[in-house]
Amino acid sequence: MNTAILKTLTLAAFAVRTGACGGAEKEKPNILVILADDMGYSDPGCYGGEIQTPNLDRLARDGVRFSRFYNAGRSCPTRASLLTGLYPHQAGVGRMTFDQHLPGYRGTMTHDGVTIAEVLRANGYHTGMIGKWHVAETPLRDDQREWLAHRVYHEEFAPKENYPTRRGFEDFYGTIYGVVDYFDPFSLVSGEEPVREVPDGYYSTVALSDSAVAYIKRYTAADADKPFFMYLSYHSPHWPLHALEEDVKKYEGVYEAGWESIRKARYERMKKLGVFNSHADYLSNRQSTAEWDANPDREWDVRAMAVHAAMVDRMDRGIGQVLKALEEAGELDNTLIIFLSDNGCSPEICQDYSPGENDRPDMTRDGRPMIYPKNKEVMPGPETTYASLGPLWANVANTPFRFWKAKMYEGGICTPAIVHWPAGTRLRAGSVVDAPCHVVDMMATALDVTQSRYPEAYGGNTIIPFEGRSIVPILETGRREGHPAIGFEHFNEKALMSRDGWKIIQPGRNAAWELYDLNTDRTEMHNVATENPERLARMITQYNEWAKRTMVLPAPD
């Protein structure tokens, strides 16, 4: 076990703090983790985006931004790693939520690890989750098409033993599956009970934000005597492109300039914001040579990106409600808030998927067909359309990086990450730090700031030691002793980063390994594998050792 993390490291310096509004003193902070879904690195204003995110910008202005905070490249592996402090395969979710009968690929969070909620609840915390779960094996039924459209009823969306309420959360409101109709989500659950119908005017992001506010008010009421851990896991802005029309109108005309112009504008703002202070020129090449002026679908693409922006905008407003609730309770300063995205923006063209399968409905509850516009024949936004951004806008959203979700290049695995904790941060407000961190660090950080112990056994199971390292030293000094290496694997996309800032990538099963020096080549434009054969060989050996230890191997065919 990583005993160094279990010690009381720096808590004496901020063990007792007074809330911003003069609230009662607390020895332990609240923890709020906010996770966006498929949001690009440069989408928030504080990372260079033109999307209006005043509340995220506020957290960044008063807190700390990370330029090198990593996820696992896709939704369910990232979530499993974040919750357990293990690498995704160790937690059982090396790929998606289907069981491939290998230790690292069970399709559900196994019980060889514990969640942050399980640990903190045992140490006197309220624990609440709102939003997307997506770490339980999800059954496919003979009547899946009708089930997706709410026209038949089944009690369980996954085995209830793997629901949030069985993994440490005393409260849960959200979805068990991954993809949802924002206006009438499938697999919506309150506690463990399916929500049979939603009211007129329902929109997922609004409902999740309202629920988070309600939880905070309950957890911080005058008679409350416990701190809380909350995991607010938005669906936004994952496809389908569903948004409230009033939000879309804010972005009418914004994206008429096209992919290249928007990307360059984001890059220029990013430079002014100092997101990468040590790099004078870090904009990678575009992943496509397609020219905007030759695009026959400009009107559709303008609308698609406006809907994406509207989805992020509405999420930011919900985060504003949550911050207001914390302020009113006098708990904002004493709450460690961590915001990040589960992976880079998605290049998926969901219009090419088969509707009525898996988690993709083909009709609404009242029988209206949902159109997957293969030829962009209907505009995105309403409930009756299922559309996605595609790779060209995803490349813009992930400025300045190459590639996107599910790739192990920086565009797939590097997330915008903001930490706000006035009671426990010593860095200058608004600082940007480049110390590499990973979602696997969440458990170690929670243990550190709450003075909790990590169990060797839980629920009759022997527990795998956690992998992460606390980020608290970074919040104090901007630095820490980093991981010896951080590894990645997803569907045969492989990568490993060394402590000294070098990275290897194998972009596919039989592809040649590539080597990048992130110290000078932050956006992976110069593969220097040929010039550094000894380093490359050494890092490949290190990757193979990591893969064997963390249950990447044996891997499915």
Side-chain angles (χ1 to χ4, degrees), residues 372-445:
Y372 289 62
K374 296 181 183 297
N375 299 310
K376 300 185 177 180
E377 63 271 23
V378 296
M379 291 292 180
E383 181 183 11
T384 50
T385 66
Y386 250 62
S388 57
L389 281 179
L392 295 180
W393 277 128
N395 196 193
V396 174
N398 294 328
T399 302
F401 299 126
R402 301 166 62 196
F403 292 109
W404 34 65
K405 173 181 177 178
K407 302 289 284 185
M408 298 300 106
Y409 294 94
E410 299 290 279
I413 60 175
C414 194
T415 173
I418 306 166
V419 175
H420 181 275
W421 188 25
T425 304
R426 294 292 173 266
L427 294 183
R428 176 180 54 82
S431 294
V432 179
V433 297
D434 62 1
C437 300
H438 186 277
V439 290
V440 79
D441 295 330
M442 293 292 190
M443 173 67 81
T445 303

Side-chain angles (χ1 to χ4, degrees), residues 37-43 71 73 237-239 241 266 305 308 312 341-348 388-399 402-407 410-416:
D37 196 340
D38 287 12
M39 188 177 75
Y41 189 86
S42 66
D43 276 340
N71 50 55
H238 192 291
W239 58 266
L241 291 168
R266 286 190 175 199
M305 190 60 188
H308 174 85
V312 174
S341 180
D342 64 347
N343 45 248
C345 188
S346 173
E348 293 164 281
S388 57
L389 281 179
L392 295 180
W393 277 128
N395 196 193
V396 174
N398 294 328
T399 302
R402 301 166 62 196
F403 292 109
W404 34 65
K405 173 181 177 178
K407 302 289 284 185
E410 299 290 279
I413 60 175
C414 194
T415 173

Side-chain angles (χ1 to χ4, degrees), residues 447-460:
L447 294 172
D448 191 355
V449 304
T450 66
Q451 300 173 283
S452 297
R453 291 196 61 81
Y454 186 83
E456 296 182 1
Y458 186 89

Side-chain angles (χ1 to χ4, degrees), residues 175-450:
T175 59
I176 302 300
Y177 273 55
V179 177
V180 301
D181 168 356
Y182 283 73
F183 300 99
D184 193 1
F186 175 71
S187 77
L188 186 62
V189 169
S190 179
E192 296 184 0
E193 295 299 316
V195 176
R196 300 292 291 267
E197 58 183 2
V198 297
D200 291 342
Y202 185 95
Y203 185 69
S204 162
T205 307
V206 174
L208 299 183
S209 301
D210 289 347
S211 297
V213 169
Y215 282 15
I216 288 171
K217 289 182 176 179
R218 177 152 51 87
Y219 294 158
T220 61
D223 59 348
D225 58 356
K226 296 180 180 181
F228 68 81
F229 166 64
M230 183 183 296
Y231 173 38
L232 174 53
S233 174
Y234 284 104
H235 301 110
S236 180
H238 192 291
W239 58 266
L241 291 168
H242 282 172
L244 300 172
E245 194 59 32
E246 65 190 82
D247 296 342
V248 180
K249 287 185 181 298
K250 291 177 63 175
Y251 296 92
E252 284 185 351
V254 171
Y255 297 102
E256 290 179 353
W259 310 301
E260 184 78 9
S261 294
I262 298 297
R263 192 166 185 260
K264 285 183 176 178
R266 286 190 175 199
Y267 165 59
E268 292 301 323
R269 283 192 294 270
M270 190 173 279
K271 286 199 294 186
K272 292 178 181 177
L273 290 167
V275 175
F276 297 107
N277 288 323
S278 61
H279 296 263
D281 189 356
Y282 47 80
L283 183 66
S284 66
N285 298 324
R286 284 181 58 208
Q287 297 304 130
S288 170
T289 59
E291 296 297 330
W292 180 255
D293 290 343
N295 175 19
D297 301 309
R298 287 193 299 275
E299 183 180 2
W300 194 95
D301 285 327
V302 167
R303 167 77 181 189
M305 190 60 188
V307 175
H308 174 85
M311 296 167 79
V312 174
D313 185 304
R314 178 58 66 168
M315 177 177 63
D316 182 82
R317 278 192 264 177
I319 292 169
Q321 292 175 247
V322 171
L323 298 181
K324 181 180 179 182
L326 288 171
E327 283 183 305
E328 290 176 346
E331 292 291 337
L332 182 60
D333 279 9
N334 195 47
T335 300
L336 168 60
I337 302 174
I338 304 174
F339 172 87
L340 67 163
S341 180
D342 64 347
N343 45 248
C345 188
S346 173
E348 293 164 281
I349 302 175
C350 72
Q351 296 93 298
D352 292 339
Y353 293 160
S354 298
E357 297 180 359
N358 193 17
D359 50 9
R360 303 182 294 269
D362 68 349
M363 60 180 165
T364 63
R365 184 187 295 264
D366 57 6
R368 288 172 293 152
M370 288 185 170
I371 299 172
Y372 289 62
K374 296 181 183 297
N375 299 310
K376 300 185 177 180
E377 63 271 23
V378 296
M379 291 292 180
E383 181 183 11
T384 50
T385 66
Y386 250 62
S388 57
L389 281 179
L392 295 180
W393 277 128
N395 196 193
V396 174
N398 294 328
T399 302
F401 299 126
R402 301 166 62 196
F403 292 109
W404 34 65
K405 173 181 177 178
K407 302 289 284 185
M408 298 300 106
Y409 294 94
E410 299 290 279
I413 60 175
C414 194
T415 173
I418 306 166
V419 175
H420 181 275
W421 188 25
T425 304
R426 294 292 173 266
L427 294 183
R428 176 180 54 82
S431 294
V432 179
V433 297
D434 62 1
C437 300
H438 186 277
V439 290
V440 79
D441 295 330
M442 293 292 190
M443 173 67 81
T445 303
L447 294 172
D448 191 355
V449 304
T450 66

